Amino acid sequence: MPLWKVYHPAGAYSAEDKKGLAKRVTEVYASIPIPKFYVVFVFEEMAKDSCFVGGEPHNKFVRFKVDQIARTLPGPVIREWWTRTLDDVIAPYVKDRGYDWEISIDETPFDLWSLQGELAPPFESVAEKRWVKENKASPYTLGEKLPVNLILAPGLADR
């Protein structure tokens, strides 16, 4: 799951803004694809003069803290691409409104996560594809942990 915590000045975002931002970001993750219900947003308002940057009050600053668990980013090129992609997605809510912003992404081990008491199924597995389609967590069998396109033919070299 990606958990997005958005620390922003009080009054910076309306309920409609929050919904729009969460929807835009969710669509990016859904394009991977991961189940939309994996994406969680928490908006935290900061009272005036409660945010300091470089020791000085900064009332036009938004901080995005992202905890990603469902996927890890392999290597520096993909990490840079992903960070720039997210910056582009959030730009209408920060850059275009005159806010300074910061985004950081932490990756938590996949095996230290559960949803509704279910461990998340492996990437590209039958169970994960079902979770994407149903948009909810549900029990799955050992067989559903297998990849959707599993080929078990000996000697096959051109997958």
Side-chain angles (χ1 to χ4, degrees):
M1 112 166 117
L3 168 61
W4 281 60
K5 293 182 182 175
V6 183
Y7 301 93
H8 59 88
Y13 301 119
S14 67
E16 185 176 307
D17 291 334
K18 292 174 185 178
K19 183 177 181 179
L21 176 56
K23 186 172 180 66
R24 280 179 62 100
V25 171
T26 298
E27 291 304 322
V28 173
Y29 283 101
S31 72
I32 292 173
I34 66 169
K36 288 183 178 183
F37 74 92
Y38 279 14
V39 185
V40 176
F41 263 78
V42 177
F43 290 88
E44 301 267 352
E45 283 194 342
M46 298 181 293
K48 186 174 180 175
D49 297 327
S50 293
C51 178
F52 292 77
V53 176
E56 298 296 325
H58 195 324
N59 293 307
K60 293 282 287 178
F61 183 79
V62 180
R63 173 73 159 87
F64 297 88
K65 183 175 182 336
V66 183
D67 294 320
Q68 292 186 160
I69 304 171
R71 300 290 179 271
T72 55
L73 302 169
V77 173
I78 297 295
R79 288 172 183 260
E80 179 181 347
W81 167 79
W82 185 243
T83 302
R84 291 184 186 281
T85 296
L86 295 179
D87 271 329
D88 289 344
V89 169
I90 65 175
Y93 296 90
V94 284
K95 182 179 182 182
D96 297 354
R97 295 180 183 200
Y99 289 105
D100 290 337
W101 75 96
E102 178 177 294
I103 184 170
S104 68
I105 303 168
D106 293 328
E107 292 181 336
T108 302
F110 183 78
D111 57 346
L112 294 176
W113 172 46
S114 70
L115 301 103
Q116 280 59 272
E118 294 294 328
L119 297 178
F123 178 58
E124 292 292 313
S125 68
V126 172
E128 185 189 57
K129 294 296 184 187
R130 182 167 50 78
W131 282 24
V132 167
K133 183 180 176 185
E134 295 173 354
N135 200 31
K136 67 178 183 176
S138 60
Y140 56 90
T141 66
L142 179 61
E144 288 180 297
K145 290 177 78 170
L146 297 173
V148 170
N149 296 317
L150 178 65
I151 299 173
L152 294 174
L156 191 63
D158 59 347
R159 291 188 185 182

